[in-house]
Amino acid sequence: MPLVPMKAILDATDKFNYAQGAFNVNAVAQAKAVIEVHEMFRSAAILQGADLANGFMGGRVDFGNATLEDKKKGAINIANAVKKYAETSPIPIALHLDHGKDLDSCIAAIDGGYTSVMIDGSSLPFKDNIELTREVVKYAHERGVTVEGELGVLAGVEDHVFSAESTYTNPLDAVEFFKKTGVDALAISYGTMHGANKGRDTVIRKEIAIATKECMRHENIEGTLVSHGSSTVPQYIVKEINELGGDIRDAHGISMQQLKEVSKLGIGKINVDTDIRLAVTRNLRELFKNRPELQKSETVGDIYKLLTENKSAFDPRIFLPPIMDTVMFGTVPNDAIGAVVSCIEKGVKEVVGTLIIEFESFGKAYLVECISLDEMAQRYKKKGI
Ligand code: G3H
Ligand code: ZN
């Protein structure tokens, strides 16, 4: 079926009180794996490409310097692949831009085929954040595309999004933000943090989610609250990476128990990127240990070199530049690349499968309304948003 707007998937989480994991991808093989594992568990799927991930998937190896042109290319590459898989898929699938930097990046994603965008104005003053988000909502809703905003600042690093400290979201500001922007979803800051170094025993301030949701109910505001920075950083994966020659230190995530709790308290979307990065890194290291002949392979030997040169890295974008055609288009021209692709897919499925079960989206694909972008655009028009 065609891709659905993310709102269709989020509405079901609100109505039936569960959470949907939203999983970051940086390559076509990762998108394929995310979709396949959701199909296996009969869950709807939210795939997200971060702003700079689009740059990478547009062929920009130094993705930190990605231009708008690179992002446009990457958005088209990943959207084409996801649309192709979705055609024959029995589950509803949404493709979402994660941490869109500005209006142009959001437009690039929407025009490329994304069915949902996040505009991250969280570093701006409240009024400017509202103004920017409102502009994105106007462009997106006319096309039936979902919009997520952000209010409050998360600590940690994720691509160009960095902050040393967090500022928690004020529930009353959140209500005003929903009203003035018309966003469908809002990322709140309530104690989670981007990256693998969230600190030991991080406590989520769940009262912030509860209070925000309660204030929204009083004001009759429809909308989904989003938990960013929610990787659990599985300790067994970190240990295995280090045993395989990696050097990952002080890595701690959010406890599964807290995520499960907030999924029943108003959080409908839970973002996970770091856990996938870790599992894929572990699998790549393991592959070259188990198949030493690949270390000297003409096509994938350079991936091994990058792994040995970057022991503390766990971002697949650091390791995959030697196979950019595969990253961008999913091509598998020989057995060596096939082995790399297979270990990427397995890493994604291990992490994503676990979270589909823990967040309880399994078996719930049928609860999602399969609405087209055009129909959704009509609904927004009727409501005047
Ligand atoms: O936007 C993506 C998520 O917020 C990533 O969070 O670093 O905990 O995986 P994470
Ligand atoms: Zn995030």
Side-chain angles (χ1 to χ4, degrees), residues 98-99 118 150 154 158 194 228-229 271:
D98 190 30
H99 291 286
M118 174 188 190
E150 176 161 347
L154 257 77
E158 192 190 12
H194 287 130
H228 277 242
N271 281 16

Side-chain angles (χ1 to χ4, degrees), residues 26 49-75 77 97-102 104-106 108 159-160 317 324 328:
N26 295 289
D51 207 30
L52 293 181
N54 274 343
F56 183 66
M57 292 185 287
R60 189 80 193 218
V61 169
D62 59 335
F63 53 89
N65 298 319
T67 63
L68 187 60
E69 283 313 305
D70 300 320
K71 292 180 196 176
K72 278 183 189 168
K73 280 188 213 155
N77 289 343
L97 173 71
D98 190 30
H99 291 286
K101 194 178 168 209
D102 46 31
D104 285 341
S105 301
C106 292
D159 285 353
H160 59 274
R317 290 173 297 185
M324 283 311 281
M328 294 188 290

Side-chain angles (χ1 to χ4, degrees), residues 36-90:
E36 284 177 358
V37 71
H38 279 86
E39 286 175 353
M40 194 171 124
F41 287 108
R42 294 170 183 264
S43 166
I46 301 173
L47 283 75
Q48 26 187 55
D51 207 30
L52 293 181
N54 274 343
F56 183 66
M57 292 185 287
R60 189 80 193 218
V61 169
D62 59 335
F63 53 89
N65 298 319
T67 63
L68 187 60
E69 283 313 305
D70 300 320
K71 292 180 196 176
K72 278 183 189 168
K73 280 188 213 155
I76 292 171
N77 289 343
I78 192 67
N80 283 349
V82 172
K83 279 193 250 177
K84 194 184 95 212
Y85 295 129
E87 257 168 39
T88 51
S89 180

Side-chain angles (χ1 to χ4, degrees), residues 151-152 167-175 189 208 212:
L151 200 54
T167 311
Y168 293 141
T169 305
N170 174 337
L172 296 175
D173 286 348
V175 168
S189 171
I208 294 176
T212 306

